[in-house]
Amino acid sequence: MMNQVQAYVIMFLTGGFLYCGIEILYRGYSHISMLIAGGVCFLLVGVVESILGPAASIISQMLWCSIMITTVELITGIIVNKHLHLNVWDYSGEQYNFKGQICLLYTNMWFLLSCPMIFLHDYMKYLLLGIQIPGYKIF
């Protein structure tokens, strides 16, 4: 086993690189700010699980993770796109967007993608820290 700092740095980087990889596959490029946002989101998957507790269904975890990821995207977008004027993304052309920084389409995508991220997060905690993988229930 490794210490918690090392484990969470590895998990942060895993989440960050996966987030960038998803962006590169989807739109052909990414940005360093997305590595940071993705790393934060991946670590927060564990926070969502902790807050909801062991009785939480995978669907409820996915719902809260999609809300959390969308919130991180909004905060990142306000900082990176609005304050720093880096224009990394603009969802103004998408339906149901909020200030061009988030939109319902991507919240729904994060809902679906959060399921494998929850499993990966738990598996990495098991491998790196020896924390038992929780039991899952769908509803």
Side-chain angles (χ1 to χ4, degrees), residues 61-87:
Q61 289 181 55
M62 290 166 62
L63 175 65
W64 284 105
C65 284
S66 66
I67 292 167
M68 174 271 299
I69 294 167
T70 301
T71 302
V72 170
E73 276 203 332
L74 176 61
I75 293 167
T76 303
I78 289 169
I79 294 167
V80 171
N81 295 327
K82 298 295 184 184
H83 291 300
L84 298 177
H85 306 288
L86 295 177
N87 301 318

Side-chain angles (χ1 to χ4, degrees), residues 16-135:
F17 284 114
L18 284 171
Y19 201 99
C20 287
I22 290 166
E23 275 208 320
I24 291 167
L25 287 172
Y26 187 74
R27 65 180 190 157
Y29 64 95
S30 191
H31 188 266
I32 189 72
S33 61
M34 296 296 90
L35 183 125
I36 295 166
V40 167
C41 287
F42 195 66
L43 293 180
L44 289 176
V45 165
V47 173
V48 168
E49 286 181 298
S50 294
I51 290 170
L52 294 179
S57 70
I58 196 72
I59 298 294
S60 65
Q61 289 181 55
M62 290 166 62
L63 175 65
W64 284 105
C65 284
S66 66
I67 292 167
M68 174 271 299
I69 294 167
T70 301
T71 302
V72 170
E73 276 203 332
L74 176 61
I75 293 167
T76 303
I78 289 169
I79 294 167
V80 171
N81 295 327
K82 298 295 184 184
H83 291 300
L84 298 177
H85 306 288
L86 295 177
N87 301 318
V88 176
W89 73 87
D90 182 1
Y91 299 148
S92 296
E94 300 286 339
Q95 284 189 321
Y96 310 111
N97 79 82
F98 180 73
K99 300 190 181 228
Q101 301 311 300
I102 57 174
C103 70
L104 187 58
L105 171 65
Y106 295 108
T107 299
N108 290 328
M109 234 170 35
W110 293 128
F111 174 80
L112 297 173
L113 288 170
S114 66
C115 186
M117 292 301 109
I118 291 165
F119 294 143
L120 178 61
H121 185 275
D122 289 343
Y123 188 65
M124 287 185 75
K125 283 194 329 190
Y126 170 73
L127 285 178
L128 301 174
L129 297 169
I131 296 172
Q132 185 176 353
I133 295 174

Side-chain angles (χ1 to χ4, degrees), residues 1-13 128-129:
M1 295 305 136
M2 59 180 54
N3 72 47
Q4 283 192 340
V5 171
Q6 292 169 322
Y8 285 111
V9 166
I10 290 169
M11 291 173 73
F12 176 88
L13 291 172
L128 301 174
L129 297 169

